[in-house]
Every structure is written in structure tokens, then in C-alpha cells.
Amino acid sequence: MTEIDRTCAQKLLAMAAEARGRAYAPYSGFHVGAAILFENGETICGCNVENASYGLSMCAERGAMIAAVVKGLKKPVAVAVSGEGGTFCPPCGACRQFLAEFNPDMQVILEGSGDIKLYTLKDLLPFSFSLEGLSGGEKEQ
Ligand code: THU
């Protein structure tokens, strides 16, 4: 996959920041937005949604990916994450695993202290568990 260019990265980060404004995070006070770009050019956003039963809280990245699957989008090429207070917000371990299911080669775009960092998801989650590890598993399209 060709690397996302800077303009595209900035556009995705701006969409993630806009989604962050809609986060529901009354418990942590930490608002997060994510924007996932798909192979067909569509972008789906998500924000974190917390719950009084803390463990039920949902991260922005997983929220976006779930919304995308509902729309039939299963080929993500890049995710931008925007965290609170201009600090880098790398996806948590659960989100890395969740996104790797769909494309471990996708790019992860992060912004903090006025700087943009680009990663490949599989570099952030090496030797991940996948369907190939499940005997008899068959990948749905
Ligand atoms: N959070 C995300 O939405 N994405 C991440 O990758 C890290 C953490 C949320 C979960 C929780 O609502 C808040 O940030 C504080 O952990």
C-alpha cells in the first residue's frame, strides 16, 4: 500500500478532531475521536462513549470500525486518532487487535505537540492473534 500523503493525513486528523467534539466521556473527561479511511474512499468517524458501568465504555476507534461494518465497509486503509489536549493518543491494545482483524497493514496517523506520526498497525501489534490461528477458521469477505 502506498503511504498516505500529508494532506490526506491532515484531513483525516481534522475529521477525527471533529468527532472528538462529540465524545461522551463524563467519567474520564478524556475525549477521543477517530476517522477511518476505507479502500473505496469513504471515511467513517467514531468517538469514545463511556458508561456508568465503566468497563462497558467503548473507544473511538472500535466505535468507528463497528459503524463501518454496518455500512458494509471492511477494508480500512488508515485510521487517524485525535486525543485530548493535543497529546498523542495511540490506539489501546484492544483497538489494535480489533482493527488488525480487518487490515494489519493499515496506517495509523497520530498527532501531538504539533507533530504528525505515521505507523503501520502491524508494527504496533507484532505477532498478533488472527483467524489463521483458529483451526478450521474461515475468513468472511
Ligand atoms: N480511549 C479511546 O477512545 N481510544 C484509545 O485508543 C484510548 C482510550 C478512551 C477510552 C476512555 O473512554 C478514555 O479514552 C480514557 O481511557
Side-chain angles (χ1 to χ4, degrees):
M1 194 196 77
T2 55
E3 249 201 17
I4 295 290
D5 65 39
R6 203 179 164 79
T7 314
C8 179
Q10 276 167 336
K11 201 172 145 202
L12 283 175
L13 282 164
M15 293 176 85
E18 194 191 334
R20 172 163 50 82
R22 293 189 289 273
Y24 176 73
Y27 304 102
S28 71
F30 191 81
H31 301 80
V32 184
I36 305 182
L37 174 67
F38 289 82
E39 208 177 44
N40 71 349
E42 275 190 69
T43 303
I44 305 290
C45 293
C47 58
N48 56 333
V49 179
E50 298 185 345
N51 192 273
S53 176
Y54 294 178
L56 297 182
S57 298
M58 178 57 67
C59 289
E61 300 91 317
R62 272 179 286 158
M65 191 64 223
I66 290 166
V69 171
V70 175
K71 293 191 79 183
L73 300 170
K74 284 178 247 172
K75 298 262 165 24
V77 294
V79 59
V81 188
S82 173
E84 190 81 35
T87 54
F88 287 107
C89 183
C92 76
C95 288
R96 292 177 198 200
Q97 175 69 30
F98 200 86
L99 295 174
E101 173 77 17
F102 298 96
N103 183 11
D105 293 311
M106 71 191 289
Q107 297 219 276
V108 179
I109 304 161
L110 306 174
E111 190 172 32
S113 318
D115 195 19
I116 294 177
K117 287 186 194 288
L118 284 184
Y119 298 91
T120 300
L121 181 56
K122 68 183 175 202
D123 292 336
L124 298 180
L125 188 70
F127 198 38
S128 66
F129 184 73
S130 72
L131 198 59
E132 284 84 67
L134 292 171
S135 59
E138 222 170 82
K139 185 120 179 141
E140 278 181 24
Q141 287 311 307

